[in-house]
Amino acid sequence: MTPHDALDRIRRYDGRLKAFVRVFEPPLGVGPGPVFAIKDLFDVTGAPTGGGARVPLAASPQANAVVVDKLLNAGWRAIGKTQTVELAYGGWGTNRAVGAPHNPWDHTTHRAPGGSSSGSAVAVAAGFCDAALGSDTGGSVRIPASTCGVVGLKPGRGLVSLGGVHPLAPSLDTVGALAKDVTTAARMLAVISGPDGAAAARGPFDAEAALSAEVEGQRVAAIPLEHLGEVDAEVGRLYLAALERLRRTGVTVQMVRPPKALDESFAPNGLIMAAEGWRIWGERIETHRKVMDPWIVRRFEVGRDISDERLAEAQDRRAADQREFHAWLSAYDGLVTPTCPIPGPPMDQVDEAVSPLSRLTRAANYLDLPGISTPCGLTGEGMPAGLQILGNPRDEAAVVALGAAFEKVSGWNGRLPDLDGFA
């Protein structure tokens, strides 16, 4: 894709889709590389970092986020900044402060795009860019990837710098890639990975080695539907069909129940997110609550009443849970689930009091596992669903290899939504 083609497509369709909060004309960068978009949680020199809020998080940043610089220095071209849930705290993709993008798979009904990297997923799905940056604290790359029918790749912690990315929960936050296919997502991860001076930094990631790796003979665990809680019937059908397709690659898929159900990570991940988030954003919320999305305020306020002692206990429990789960997972090359238990619903059916879209994704952040969501088909209503593949700690290569192998047999073939209804 050329920047010229990207801008033409944005002008034609984004008036209704609303993926972007700011379009760069001309695009940033001078190289011949892929066109990418930037979640409006990442700093870009001189451009306000809105963070999905009416009052910007940074009015005029003095430097680019580390990952933005890495992409520009590698010849990638930045086309604009994309919508996010306010302060990145929500999985539906709603935003009552500045508005929410439309899921591009339904031009008649405003459906949830998934969040919090909502605009990044919509931009990729709509063909506005080759890839986009997102952040993932409880599923915020993989959720919108699933609901919008694109690839979402989340690394483990320490592989990608968080410098210049406004935090939600520092012990859970990761930076990931949304892209039209596994190859592009892996190559974006390769560019943005690598040490940046942080003690936990590692890398860089070798995308080409991972993409060319042979998966025949590998063994993955898959969670049976009856152990996944409530799953939409169409999503369940697509999940089981995806497992059969994955077997065609030569991978052994073993139906097993892990020692701790994925749902058991949901509540402690949420506790840590709220507690750390309030410590970062509490003062801002007290100042600007009247112009904030009231549901975002409520989520943060849960963290106000979590003591330092309770947070420390939660982190101790998390470390123990990680040790137990990592030991169990080491017998497999990966773990497979649906990415989300439901497709993106109409916005007027969204219940902000619950978070079903993140029910199967939070575990990757809580347990510090790399993960990828790849499209696995459309429901009867024509909405995408995703297959989530989680890997062992620091084994992004296996996640990419399995994702690329599944993509080849998935039958998805890079399909895009019909945008004529958005013109």
Side-chain angles (χ1 to χ4, degrees), residues 225-303:
L225 277 176
E226 61 267 27
H227 295 315
L228 285 169
E230 188 173 348
V231 175
D232 175 84
E234 283 288 281
V235 171
R237 175 182 65 82
L238 292 170
Y239 170 58
L240 295 179
L243 296 183
E244 287 304 311
R245 290 177 182 270
L246 185 59
R247 290 185 174 101
R248 297 179 194 172
T249 68
V251 169
T252 297
V253 178
Q254 184 176 346
M255 305 301 287
V256 296
R257 183 175 184 176
K260 288 186 180 294
L262 296 187
D263 278 1
E264 292 187 29
S265 296
F266 184 87
N269 190 90
L271 184 151
I272 293 168
M273 200 183 306
E276 293 186 356
W278 178 261
R279 283 156 175 76
I280 294 167
W281 298 113
E283 184 175 344
R284 175 189 173 89
I285 292 166
E286 297 289 13
T287 302
H288 299 299
R289 66 171 57 241
K290 290 184 179 179
V291 295
M292 292 184 65
D293 184 327
W295 281 104
I296 300 297
V297 173
R298 290 186 194 186
R299 289 180 195 133
F300 277 108
E301 284 182 336
V302 171

Side-chain angles (χ1 to χ4, degrees), residues 105 148-149 234 237-238 375-385 412 415:
W105 288 89
C148 290
E234 283 288 281
R237 175 182 65 82
L238 292 170
C376 65
L378 298 175
T379 68
E381 290 189 321
M383 298 305 295
W412 185 258
R415 70 180 74 175

Side-chain angles (χ1 to χ4, degrees), residues 6-230:
L7 288 170
D8 279 351
R9 196 166 174 85
I10 291 167
R11 293 186 192 106
R12 184 175 182 185
Y13 297 116
D14 201 44
R16 277 195 62 204
L17 283 171
K18 301 186 185 305
F20 287 91
V21 296
R22 179 181 296 269
V23 176
F24 299 141
E25 298 192 54
L28 305 182
V30 296
V35 173
F36 75 104
I38 304 165
K39 182 178 183 177
D40 197 23
L41 201 69
F42 294 62
D43 283 343
V44 173
T45 304
T49 305
R54 292 186 186 179
V55 180
L57 308 186
S60 184
Q62 299 303 300
N64 291 332
V66 171
V67 292
V68 172
D69 266 343
K70 286 188 173 186
L71 288 164
L72 294 177
N73 291 337
W76 290 50
R77 305 292 302 278
I79 200 73
K81 301 196 77 178
T82 54
Q83 292 269 22
T84 175
V85 175
E86 189 169 10
L87 297 179
Y89 203 174
W92 292 110
T94 54
N95 190 314
R96 288 167 178 78
V98 298
H102 287 239
N103 191 310
W105 288 89
D106 189 341
H107 69 268
T108 62
T109 302
H110 188 182
R111 286 183 177 265
S116 64
S117 305
S118 52
S120 289
V122 172
V124 173
F128 295 157
C129 54
D130 298 304
L133 289 168
S135 62
D136 191 312
T137 308
S140 288
V141 163
R142 291 159 289 143
I143 291 168
S146 176
T147 55
C148 290
V150 300
V151 172
L153 176 58
K154 170 213 167 298
R157 288 179 52 76
L159 182 63
V160 179
S161 172
L162 294 166
V165 184
H166 293 261
L168 172 55
S171 73
L172 300 167
D173 291 343
T174 53
V175 167
L178 296 108
K180 59 185 181 180
D181 52 41
V182 175
T183 295
T184 306
R187 288 174 176 167
M188 176 179 250
L189 180 60
V191 174
I192 64 177
S193 67
D196 68 325
R202 56 191 178 89
F205 174 66
D206 188 338
E208 304 311 317
L211 290 166
S212 62
E214 179 56 63
V215 300
E216 185 173 0
Q218 290 195 3
R219 183 165 167 257
V220 302
I223 310 302
L225 277 176
E226 61 267 27
H227 295 315
L228 285 169
E230 188 173 348

Side-chain angles (χ1 to χ4, degrees), residues 381-397:
E381 290 189 321
M383 298 305 295
L387 181 72
Q388 176 177 239
I389 303 170
L390 302 180
N392 280 282
R394 298 188 169 219
D395 198 357
E396 288 81 7

